[in-house]
Amino acid sequence: MVRSYRLLVISACMVFFCLALAGNASATVELYNKTIEMGDGYQINNYVIDVTDVFSDANTASFYVYNNNNKVKEFLLSTGDSFEFDFEGDAKVKVTLLSVGSGTLPVARVSIVISNYKISDIYMNDIVDGGHKYATYSGTPNLKITKTVDKSEIGVGDLVRVTVTVENIGDDRAVDVIFQDPQQAKFVLYDTFVTHTGQTTVNVGESKTLFVYQLKATESGTYPLLPTTASFSNTASLKFPQASSNSPVVTVGASESLVSAELEFTTTLDKYTVNRNDDIQGTIKIKNNGDTPATAVTVSILVPDGLDFKGGSGIETISGTPTIYLESFGVQQEKEISFTLKAADVGTYTISSKISYLFNNGVDTQLQQVSSDSVTNSIYVTKGKYDYLFEQPLYMYAAPLIIIGAIAGWIFYRHKQYKF
Amino acid sequence: MLNILIVGNGQCGNRILDAINREAFGKKSRFAKFYSQQKYKSNVQTIAINTAVNDLREMKFTKAKDRIHIPHLHGVGANRNVGKHVFDENKTHIMRQIEERGHFDVCFVMTSASGGTGSSFTPMLVKELKEKYDYPVYALVVLPFREEGTLYLQNAAFCLRDIRESGADGIILADNQYLKQMGGNVESAYNGINDMIARRILFLLDALDSEMMMVTDLGDFKTVMSGGAGLATIGFYEAESELPVRGAIQKALSPSGLLFSTDVYEEASRAMIIIRGDRERLSIDEISTEVEKLSSAVGHVFKGIIVRDGELPQVLAVLTLESASELESLYAIAVDAIKQERDKKDRVANVKEVDRAFSQIDGMDPSY
Ligand SMILES: Nc1nc2c(ncn2[C@@H]2O[C@H](COP(=O)(O)OP(=O)(O)OP(=O)(O)O)[C@@H](O)[C@H]2O)c(=O)[nH]1
Ligand SMILES: [Mg+2]
């Protein structure tokens, strides 16, 4: 009873197995039925069947079988005989010598039949002129892409350094390799040290660094970094499935406490004592010393009468007041804005600025507003260097000019006279 | 007012001419030409002639129109024969330039005796001038350092002879060898010598054209120069501090004052002495004693006195020579030099004979 049950189980398994095989692998297919010249071979994927000798008198031929350039079988067939050898997996290849013929080169007519193999997996079957030595073997490149991070736990605004390397641990060169490193949500690319574009090749055993960059976390949470992928082919131009890196996980901790934007303003001038009509170069330096970005940063420069505002980069004059407006101003960001004033009248002046900005303190929902004032040191505008000239009658400066002109003319005349 | 032509031939002549033109500005500064005027009393025309354009370019105080370049490679390389040939070819050009300057009362031609260009141009130019014009032509000739080599000595010897034969009215000698006492490197020695010559020439020109008391004039100068063996030299002294005029006269006639080594009391045949300075400092007694001393040994001495308020005594003496033992010894070395050069040429000719030996196998091939 037990025995017949076991028999039943076994036969059921065998049926299942056969069905499975039949579903997966095709049945028997004749790949070739033609002549092969002595010395040539027939390649099926990485196997090559070389016709090494044809003895037309004896109606025999000898064959060597190579797998990836290594000899695995050799056999001699008489016409009508067959030989079967193991192919990839469970597949078998049967070689039957149909006839031999003598020409300039002796030929063997053979039938090559493959069984137990999925025909679509055959990427190569053809005569190889000159036999196995001239066959192109196809190996399997295996790209191992590794993505590492220098820290796995950081806070918002912190930097994490990502390094992506690749190593070919397969047995064939990977060609036409295209790497793709997707953008990472919730992080901004802060700095790039190593990057990679275009197609490349990775040799067997070779490893290289593809990307090194720093990401800045913008929001708290736990984020697996998206894998870097590579599409590639082997040397026989066979495409392989995309290789993918690991996904290191970065946990970005939320800062619980209150945050604030602290903008520091300094206004400096290149000189504080000037002659009338001279220019003054001013520089407004803004820096966010806080731990959250500021928005709607507005600086109004109040220029007193007696000084003229002549312009500056990024400064707009809004209803008579030179104004700087910055939509947002990041943490630790620094900016210098310069402007030019002209000293129009003699006197002592200061320049004051009105400053305001908003920020989110991380706790309250509404934005916080900050405003402040700043005043420069005094500017002393004195009488212009050449002012007295305008107070002099014309001849006072025309006369020296005429004299200088005359002297220059004379020197030039003399120079010409003595120049040989 | 006299019309005076000064020609400088070759590098040495050019440089002396430039020194004269600089001295005429009265200031030592190289920018003097920009703010100063030349203080020639006479109408002085200067002309520099050279085959080497670089020598002309180096001049700083001579007007460009006064520098005449005679293109011939880079000078004539101390070869007087080449120089004469080049002069012949450019004669009309040179003479036209002189013609254009108008009429002159006297002409000075300056040159070194030993180079190529100056030493060959000068005699030929003098000859042309003498044929064409009737004013006196004097050559100022610079003799070489004795150690400058046989070619230079040979050139000097022939050059002097050629100038004598050219019809020059006199040769004023200046001897580099004798003026070697200046010391310093060659360049500064040259400049020192050139300055000495320039100062003397300017002083002389000034004296010839002076309208002061007891003057000497061009006529006197001609007379002095026509005496002796046609050779002359110039002595000069300018007191730098209070010095009796007698001392100044003695210094002008002593080796440190002369351009050429000679014992004036022995070798001079005529002389002209010009004394300049503040009236107070020019003691007639002292002057007379010194002049008499010289004339008792020499013969006639022309004497001129120029009064300049506030100036220290300055004395210029032009001396024609009866004999010049120094020149004789120069010729003695020159004769050796000429022989040496000829021997060298003979040796070179022998080398040519060796060439002839080789030429016997011209066109043949060895057979084996
Ligand atoms: N006193 C003085 N002698 C000079 C000066 N330059 C050259 N000599 C001398 O002049 C001689 C050479 O003659 P140069 O005048 O240089 O020759 P040149 O006439 O230019 O002829 P080439 O150069 O041969 O065509 C040498 O004996 C030098 O010592 C100078 O500035 N002052
Ligand atoms: Mg020269």
PDB file of all heavy atoms in Angstrom, chain A residues 245-273:
ATOM      1  N   SER A 245      22.119  49.241  -7.676  1.00  0.00           N
ATOM      2  CA  SER A 245      22.883  49.298  -6.431  1.00  0.00           C
ATOM      3  C   SER A 245      21.965  49.061  -5.252  1.00  0.00           C
ATOM      4  O   SER A 245      20.750  48.993  -5.390  1.00  0.00           O
ATOM      5  CB  SER A 245      23.547  50.667  -6.281  1.00  0.00           C
ATOM      6  OG  SER A 245      22.585  51.600  -5.855  1.00  0.00           O
ATOM      7  N   ASN A 246      22.569  48.974  -4.116  1.00  0.00           N
ATOM      8  CA  ASN A 246      21.812  48.918  -2.868  1.00  0.00           C
ATOM      9  C   ASN A 246      21.204  50.289  -2.576  1.00  0.00           C
ATOM     10  O   ASN A 246      21.518  51.256  -3.265  1.00  0.00           O
ATOM     11  CB  ASN A 246      22.733  48.496  -1.727  1.00  0.00           C
ATOM     12  CG  ASN A 246      23.917  49.432  -1.634  1.00  0.00           C
ATOM     13  OD1 ASN A 246      24.467  49.834  -2.661  1.00  0.00           O
ATOM     14  ND2 ASN A 246      24.301  49.796  -0.433  1.00  0.00           N
ATOM     15  N   SER A 247      20.363  50.376  -1.594  1.00  0.00           N
ATOM     16  CA  SER A 247      19.730  51.643  -1.206  1.00  0.00           C
ATOM     17  C   SER A 247      20.035  51.944   0.244  1.00  0.00           C
ATOM     18  O   SER A 247      19.298  51.521   1.133  1.00  0.00           O
ATOM     19  CB  SER A 247      18.212  51.551  -1.348  1.00  0.00           C
ATOM     20  OG  SER A 247      17.854  51.515  -2.678  1.00  0.00           O
ATOM     21  N   PRO A 248      21.097  52.620   0.514  1.00  0.00           N
ATOM     22  CA  PRO A 248      21.386  52.926   1.915  1.00  0.00           C
ATOM     23  C   PRO A 248      20.293  53.845   2.472  1.00  0.00           C
ATOM     24  O   PRO A 248      19.736  54.662   1.744  1.00  0.00           O
ATOM     25  CB  PRO A 248      22.732  53.641   1.868  1.00  0.00           C
ATOM     26  CG  PRO A 248      22.877  54.094   0.465  1.00  0.00           C
ATOM     27  CD  PRO A 248      22.072  53.200  -0.401  1.00  0.00           C
ATOM     28  N   VAL A 249      20.045  53.706   3.728  1.00  0.00           N
ATOM     29  CA  VAL A 249      18.958  54.468   4.334  1.00  0.00           C
ATOM     30  C   VAL A 249      19.543  55.615   5.152  1.00  0.00           C
ATOM     31  O   VAL A 249      20.530  55.436   5.870  1.00  0.00           O
ATOM     32  CB  VAL A 249      18.113  53.549   5.247  1.00  0.00           C
ATOM     33  CG1 VAL A 249      17.035  54.362   5.951  1.00  0.00           C
ATOM     34  CG2 VAL A 249      17.492  52.439   4.413  1.00  0.00           C
ATOM     35  N   VAL A 250      18.978  56.786   4.937  1.00  0.00           N
ATOM     36  CA  VAL A 250      19.427  57.944   5.694  1.00  0.00           C
ATOM     37  C   VAL A 250      18.246  58.428   6.532  1.00  0.00           C
ATOM     38  O   VAL A 250      17.164  58.657   6.003  1.00  0.00           O
ATOM     39  CB  VAL A 250      19.914  59.061   4.759  1.00  0.00           C
ATOM     40  CG1 VAL A 250      20.334  60.273   5.576  1.00  0.00           C
ATOM     41  CG2 VAL A 250      21.052  58.573   3.896  1.00  0.00           C
ATOM     42  N   THR A 251      18.494  58.562   7.814  1.00  0.00           N
ATOM     43  CA  THR A 251      17.434  59.065   8.690  1.00  0.00           C
ATOM     44  C   THR A 251      17.747  60.520   9.007  1.00  0.00           C
ATOM     45  O   THR A 251      18.837  60.847   9.476  1.00  0.00           O
ATOM     46  CB  THR A 251      17.392  58.248   9.985  1.00  0.00           C
ATOM     47  OG1 THR A 251      17.350  56.870   9.633  1.00  0.00           O
ATOM     48  CG2 THR A 251      16.169  58.608  10.806  1.00  0.00           C
ATOM     49  N   VAL A 252      16.786  61.371   8.663  1.00  0.00           N
ATOM     50  CA  VAL A 252      16.982  62.792   8.901  1.00  0.00           C
ATOM     51  C   VAL A 252      16.148  63.162  10.119  1.00  0.00           C
ATOM     52  O   VAL A 252      14.931  63.036  10.100  1.00  0.00           O
ATOM     53  CB  VAL A 252      16.560  63.616   7.679  1.00  0.00           C
ATOM     54  CG1 VAL A 252      16.802  65.104   7.933  1.00  0.00           C
ATOM     55  CG2 VAL A 252      17.299  63.144   6.442  1.00  0.00           C
ATOM     56  N   GLY A 253      16.853  63.557  11.159  1.00  0.00           N
ATOM     57  CA  GLY A 253      16.161  63.867  12.410  1.00  0.00           C
ATOM     58  C   GLY A 253      15.567  65.258  12.378  1.00  0.00           C
ATOM     59  O   GLY A 253      16.188  66.185  11.851  1.00  0.00           O
ATOM     60  N   ALA A 254      14.394  65.399  12.867  1.00  0.00           N
ATOM     61  CA  ALA A 254      13.761  66.714  12.917  1.00  0.00           C
ATOM     62  C   ALA A 254      14.328  67.467  14.103  1.00  0.00           C
ATOM     63  O   ALA A 254      14.650  66.890  15.129  1.00  0.00           O
ATOM     64  CB  ALA A 254      12.253  66.555  13.086  1.00  0.00           C
ATOM     65  N   SER A 255      14.545  68.764  13.897  1.00  0.00           N
ATOM     66  CA  SER A 255      14.986  69.555  15.033  1.00  0.00           C
ATOM     67  C   SER A 255      13.724  70.000  15.760  1.00  0.00           C
ATOM     68  O   SER A 255      12.872  70.659  15.191  1.00  0.00           O
ATOM     69  CB  SER A 255      15.824  70.737  14.566  1.00  0.00           C
ATOM     70  OG  SER A 255      15.360  71.144  13.301  1.00  0.00           O
ATOM     71  N   GLU A 256      13.679  69.654  16.978  1.00  0.00           N
ATOM     72  CA  GLU A 256      12.438  69.845  17.715  1.00  0.00           C
ATOM     73  C   GLU A 256      12.288  71.286  18.158  1.00  0.00           C
ATOM     74  O   GLU A 256      11.228  71.846  18.126  1.00  0.00           O
ATOM     75  CB  GLU A 256      12.419  68.944  18.965  1.00  0.00           C
ATOM     76  CG  GLU A 256      12.904  67.549  18.703  1.00  0.00           C
ATOM     77  CD  GLU A 256      11.791  66.582  18.358  1.00  0.00           C
ATOM     78  OE1 GLU A 256      11.236  65.995  19.287  1.00  0.00           O
ATOM     79  OE2 GLU A 256      11.474  66.409  17.163  1.00  0.00           O
ATOM     80  N   SER A 257      13.454  71.899  18.558  1.00  0.00           N
ATOM     81  CA  SER A 257      13.378  73.183  19.221  1.00  0.00           C
ATOM     82  C   SER A 257      13.016  74.299  18.263  1.00  0.00           C
ATOM     83  O   SER A 257      12.937  74.099  17.049  1.00  0.00           O
ATOM     84  CB  SER A 257      14.717  73.483  19.876  1.00  0.00           C
ATOM     85  OG  SER A 257      15.716  73.359  18.896  1.00  0.00           O
ATOM     86  N   LEU A 258      12.838  75.485  18.820  1.00  0.00           N
ATOM     87  CA  LEU A 258      12.521  76.672  18.042  1.00  0.00           C
ATOM     88  C   LEU A 258      13.690  77.007  17.142  1.00  0.00           C
ATOM     89  O   LEU A 258      14.845  76.905  17.549  1.00  0.00           O
ATOM     90  CB  LEU A 258      12.302  77.851  19.000  1.00  0.00           C
ATOM     91  CG  LEU A 258      10.902  78.075  19.536  1.00  0.00           C
ATOM     92  CD1 LEU A 258      10.927  79.272  20.467  1.00  0.00           C
ATOM     93  CD2 LEU A 258       9.945  78.327  18.377  1.00  0.00           C
ATOM     94  N   VAL A 259      13.398  77.404  15.929  1.00  0.00           N
ATOM     95  CA  VAL A 259      14.484  77.860  15.052  1.00  0.00           C
ATOM     96  C   VAL A 259      14.215  79.310  14.713  1.00  0.00           C
ATOM     97  O   VAL A 259      13.098  79.787  14.825  1.00  0.00           O
ATOM     98  CB  VAL A 259      14.582  77.014  13.759  1.00  0.00           C
ATOM     99  CG1 VAL A 259      15.092  75.630  14.089  1.00  0.00           C
ATOM    100  CG2 VAL A 259      13.246  76.960  13.058  1.00  0.00           C
ATOM    101  N   SER A 260      15.253  80.006  14.305  1.00  0.00           N
ATOM    102  CA  SER A 260      15.035  81.385  13.888  1.00  0.00           C
ATOM    103  C   SER A 260      16.039  81.767  12.812  1.00  0.00           C
ATOM    104  O   SER A 260      17.095  81.139  12.684  1.00  0.00           O
ATOM    105  CB  SER A 260      15.195  82.338  15.085  1.00  0.00           C
ATOM    106  OG  SER A 260      16.532  82.295  15.520  1.00  0.00           O
ATOM    107  N   ALA A 261      15.665  82.750  12.046  1.00  0.00           N
ATOM    108  CA  ALA A 261      16.605  83.310  11.076  1.00  0.00           C
ATOM    109  C   ALA A 261      17.182  84.554  11.731  1.00  0.00           C
ATOM    110  O   ALA A 261      16.451  85.359  12.292  1.00  0.00           O
ATOM    111  CB  ALA A 261      15.884  83.687   9.791  1.00  0.00           C
ATOM    112  N   GLU A 262      18.503  84.647  11.756  1.00  0.00           N
ATOM    113  CA  GLU A 262      19.131  85.819  12.355  1.00  0.00           C
ATOM    114  C   GLU A 262      19.990  86.480  11.306  1.00  0.00           C
ATOM    115  O   GLU A 262      21.077  86.007  11.007  1.00  0.00           O
ATOM    116  CB  GLU A 262      19.986  85.411  13.561  1.00  0.00           C
ATOM    117  CG  GLU A 262      19.138  85.103  14.770  1.00  0.00           C
ATOM    118  CD  GLU A 262      19.876  84.260  15.783  1.00  0.00           C
ATOM    119  OE1 GLU A 262      21.122  84.344  15.830  1.00  0.00           O
ATOM    120  OE2 GLU A 262      19.213  83.489  16.506  1.00  0.00           O
ATOM    121  N   LEU A 263      19.477  87.530  10.740  1.00  0.00           N
ATOM    122  CA  LEU A 263      20.215  88.192   9.671  1.00  0.00           C
ATOM    123  C   LEU A 263      21.111  89.282  10.246  1.00  0.00           C
ATOM    124  O   LEU A 263      20.670  90.077  11.065  1.00  0.00           O
ATOM    125  CB  LEU A 263      19.239  88.786   8.643  1.00  0.00           C
ATOM    126  CG  LEU A 263      19.050  87.889   7.413  1.00  0.00           C
ATOM    127  CD1 LEU A 263      18.633  86.492   7.829  1.00  0.00           C
ATOM    128  CD2 LEU A 263      18.036  88.480   6.467  1.00  0.00           C
ATOM    129  N   GLU A 264      22.351  89.226   9.817  1.00  0.00           N
ATOM    130  CA  GLU A 264      23.305  90.229  10.284  1.00  0.00           C
ATOM    131  C   GLU A 264      23.535  91.185   9.121  1.00  0.00           C
ATOM    132  O   GLU A 264      23.801  90.757   7.999  1.00  0.00           O
ATOM    133  CB  GLU A 264      24.606  89.490  10.644  1.00  0.00           C
ATOM    134  CG  GLU A 264      25.744  90.377  11.075  1.00  0.00           C
ATOM    135  CD  GLU A 264      27.046  89.573  11.148  1.00  0.00           C
ATOM    136  OE1 GLU A 264      27.009  88.391  11.552  1.00  0.00           O
ATOM    137  OE2 GLU A 264      28.076  90.128  10.756  1.00  0.00           O
ATOM    138  N   PHE A 265      23.412  92.476   9.374  1.00  0.00           N
ATOM    139  CA  PHE A 265      23.616  93.475   8.315  1.00  0.00           C
ATOM    140  C   PHE A 265      24.785  94.349   8.695  1.00  0.00           C
ATOM    141  O   PHE A 265      24.875  94.793   9.825  1.00  0.00           O
ATOM    142  CB  PHE A 265      22.400  94.406   8.196  1.00  0.00           C
ATOM    143  CG  PHE A 265      21.216  93.728   7.609  1.00  0.00           C
ATOM    144  CD1 PHE A 265      20.327  93.039   8.406  1.00  0.00           C
ATOM    145  CD2 PHE A 265      20.995  93.783   6.248  1.00  0.00           C
ATOM    146  CE1 PHE A 265      19.241  92.410   7.863  1.00  0.00           C
ATOM    147  CE2 PHE A 265      19.897  93.154   5.708  1.00  0.00           C
ATOM    148  CZ  PHE A 265      19.007  92.462   6.513  1.00  0.00           C
ATOM    149  N   THR A 266      25.663  94.579   7.762  1.00  0.00           N
ATOM    150  CA  THR A 266      26.684  95.603   8.016  1.00  0.00           C
ATOM    151  C   THR A 266      26.797  96.447   6.767  1.00  0.00           C
ATOM    152  O   THR A 266      26.791  95.924   5.649  1.00  0.00           O
ATOM    153  CB  THR A 266      28.066  94.990   8.319  1.00  0.00           C
ATOM    154  OG1 THR A 266      28.239  93.876   7.477  1.00  0.00           O
ATOM    155  CG2 THR A 266      28.189  94.577   9.765  1.00  0.00           C
ATOM    156  N   THR A 267      26.855  97.727   6.962  1.00  0.00           N
ATOM    157  CA  THR A 267      27.053  98.628   5.829  1.00  0.00           C
ATOM    158  C   THR A 267      28.403  99.294   6.023  1.00  0.00           C
ATOM    159  O   THR A 267      28.648  99.904   7.058  1.00  0.00           O
ATOM    160  CB  THR A 267      25.955  99.697   5.777  1.00  0.00           C
ATOM    161  OG1 THR A 267      24.705  99.025   5.831  1.00  0.00           O
ATOM    162  CG2 THR A 267      26.048 100.514   4.509  1.00  0.00           C
ATOM    163  N   THR A 268      29.301  99.122   5.068  1.00  0.00           N
ATOM    164  CA  THR A 268      30.610  99.775   5.167  1.00  0.00           C
ATOM    165  C   THR A 268      30.810 100.635   3.933  1.00  0.00           C
ATOM    166  O   THR A 268      30.255 100.367   2.864  1.00  0.00           O
ATOM    167  CB  THR A 268      31.748  98.747   5.241  1.00  0.00           C
ATOM    168  OG1 THR A 268      31.549  97.804   4.203  1.00  0.00           O
ATOM    169  CG2 THR A 268      31.788  98.052   6.575  1.00  0.00           C
ATOM    170  N   LEU A 269      31.608 101.677   4.089  1.00  0.00           N
ATOM    171  CA  LEU A 269      31.916 102.568   2.976  1.00  0.00           C
ATOM    172  C   LEU A 269      33.408 102.532   2.749  1.00  0.00           C
ATOM    173  O   LEU A 269      34.179 102.295   3.692  1.00  0.00           O
ATOM    174  CB  LEU A 269      31.473 103.994   3.313  1.00  0.00           C
ATOM    175  CG  LEU A 269      29.992 104.108   3.684  1.00  0.00           C
ATOM    176  CD1 LEU A 269      29.674 105.497   4.192  1.00  0.00           C
ATOM    177  CD2 LEU A 269      29.121 103.790   2.468  1.00  0.00           C
ATOM    178  N   ASP A 270      33.838 102.773   1.542  1.00  0.00           N
ATOM    179  CA  ASP A 270      35.273 102.678   1.263  1.00  0.00           C
ATOM    180  C   ASP A 270      36.037 103.867   1.833  1.00  0.00           C
ATOM    181  O   ASP A 270      37.218 103.790   2.073  1.00  0.00           O
ATOM    182  CB  ASP A 270      35.545 102.494  -0.237  1.00  0.00           C
ATOM    183  CG  ASP A 270      35.139 103.693  -1.060  1.00  0.00           C
ATOM    184  OD1 ASP A 270      34.291 104.465  -0.571  1.00  0.00           O
ATOM    185  OD2 ASP A 270      35.647 103.838  -2.186  1.00  0.00           O
ATOM    186  N   LYS A 271      35.361 104.986   2.041  1.00  0.00           N
ATOM    187  CA  LYS A 271      36.035 106.098   2.705  1.00  0.00           C
ATOM    188  C   LYS A 271      34.993 106.946   3.414  1.00  0.00           C
ATOM    189  O   LYS A 271      33.834 106.977   3.023  1.00  0.00           O
ATOM    190  CB  LYS A 271      36.856 106.928   1.704  1.00  0.00           C
ATOM    191  CG  LYS A 271      36.196 107.196   0.363  1.00  0.00           C
ATOM    192  CD  LYS A 271      37.210 107.845  -0.567  1.00  0.00           C
ATOM    193  CE  LYS A 271      36.679 108.110  -1.969  1.00  0.00           C
ATOM    194  NZ  LYS A 271      36.400 106.924  -2.784  1.00  0.00           N
ATOM    195  N   TYR A 272      35.440 107.574   4.475  1.00  0.00           N
ATOM    196  CA  TYR A 272      34.500 108.348   5.262  1.00  0.00           C
ATOM    197  C   TYR A 272      34.777 109.839   5.166  1.00  0.00           C
ATOM    198  O   TYR A 272      34.028 110.652   5.660  1.00  0.00           O
ATOM    199  CB  TYR A 272      34.517 107.877   6.718  1.00  0.00           C
ATOM    200  CG  TYR A 272      33.906 106.492   6.836  1.00  0.00           C
ATOM    201  CD1 TYR A 272      34.693 105.349   6.716  1.00  0.00           C
ATOM    202  CD2 TYR A 272      32.538 106.346   6.998  1.00  0.00           C
ATOM    203  CE1 TYR A 272      34.129 104.088   6.771  1.00  0.00           C
ATOM    204  CE2 TYR A 272      31.967 105.084   7.059  1.00  0.00           C
ATOM    205  CZ  TYR A 272      32.764 103.955   6.936  1.00  0.00           C
ATOM    206  OH  TYR A 272      32.201 102.730   6.984  1.00  0.00           O
ATOM    207  N   THR A 273      35.928 110.159   4.535  1.00  0.00           N
ATOM    208  CA  THR A 273      36.216 111.568   4.301  1.00  0.00           C
ATOM    209  C   THR A 273      36.437 111.711   2.808  1.00  0.00           C
ATOM    210  O   THR A 273      37.322 111.053   2.259  1.00  0.00           O
ATOM    211  CB  THR A 273      37.483 112.000   5.053  1.00  0.00           C
ATOM    212  OG1 THR A 273      37.319 111.624   6.403  1.00  0.00           O
ATOM    213  CG2 THR A 273      37.685 113.490   4.957  1.00  0.00           C
TER     214      THR A 273
END
